[in-house]
Amino acid sequence: MNDKKYPAKLLLFGEYTVILGSRALAMPLPRFFGQWKMTDQEVDDRLLGMLKYIEKEKIFHKQLNINELSFDIKNGLKFDSNIPLGYGLGSSGALCAAIYDQFALEKGEDLKNLKAILAHLENHFHSSSSGVDPLICYLKKATLLEGSDIEVLEQFSLPQSSDNQLFLLDSGFARTSGNLINWFVQQCEKESYKQQIESQLMPTVENSIAALLQHNMAQLFDFLHEISHFQWQYFQPMIPASIQNLWLDGLSSNWFKLKLCGAGGGGFFMGITNDLKRLQHYSNFEILPIKITLD
């Protein structure tokens, strides 16, 4: 049994706009991870359910060593994970990545095929997975996504300066993303709403991605203000009442901004600040700096 760690995944930019064709930028978040462990505990019901799904789906019979997976699960295999459920960090994606990595009969290198296999695995948890979450958890590398195109960013890094630090805000409760995504899709059936997304939000998302890749954090701060303001106007159902005052404080301040992190509604929210310690004292929520390494 390997001792690899499979990190969580964080969508930095592209929430909702990716549905309309914009680019999205995602990265591994190693602060949260899962790894295999053999225990003397009872059979893990979550893994047992996954095994039954894999045994039923013929597509996996030539891809995974199902006998070995079954033997290990029935003899105490456990996926030990600290990735919070319902936070949009890819908890099921990390598990699917770990299953493929440990039990694949032959690991493929074609990213589109790999993404398709991982998507089929994750369909056990989500009726229609894109495969993006488990792909990032498996590759452990930042990725640019546009439609079906995947670009792995081998040299991706986050600025080390304490100025304009990216952070996560823990809302304190999990979210259910399905209803929010359905709401967004329904809103986009209105041409006026969709036009605002395409003409205002999507260019700002693209500018934010470019600024981060160029380590231009001063520009990124300004773009995040634009995203925060737009989301306050057009994504109200995604912003819980408990953080709305803080969101407005950010909009009226010159030292921090908030935006959605994935679907919103709960879980983590993302932001930028030029005074992280001040924000940690000012806010009633846990504020975590975003890092691409554990140290």
Side-chain angles (χ1 to χ4, degrees), residues 7-30:
K9 143 261 154 190
L10 176 64
L11 181 64
L12 291 165
F13 295 102
E15 63 278 359
Y16 289 105
T17 60
V18 72
I19 297 173
L20 299 181
S22 84
R23 289 203 301 173
L25 175 61
M27 61 170 266
L29 188 68

Side-chain angles (χ1 to χ4, degrees), residues 5 17 83 87 93 106 132 139 187 190 215 231 249 279:
K5 294 179 178 179
T17 60
I83 304 173
Y87 267 58
E106 184 176 347
V132 168
L139 296 175
Q187 294 302 304
K190 304 171 186 175
H215 286 192
Q231 290 181 342
D249 287 348
L279 182 60

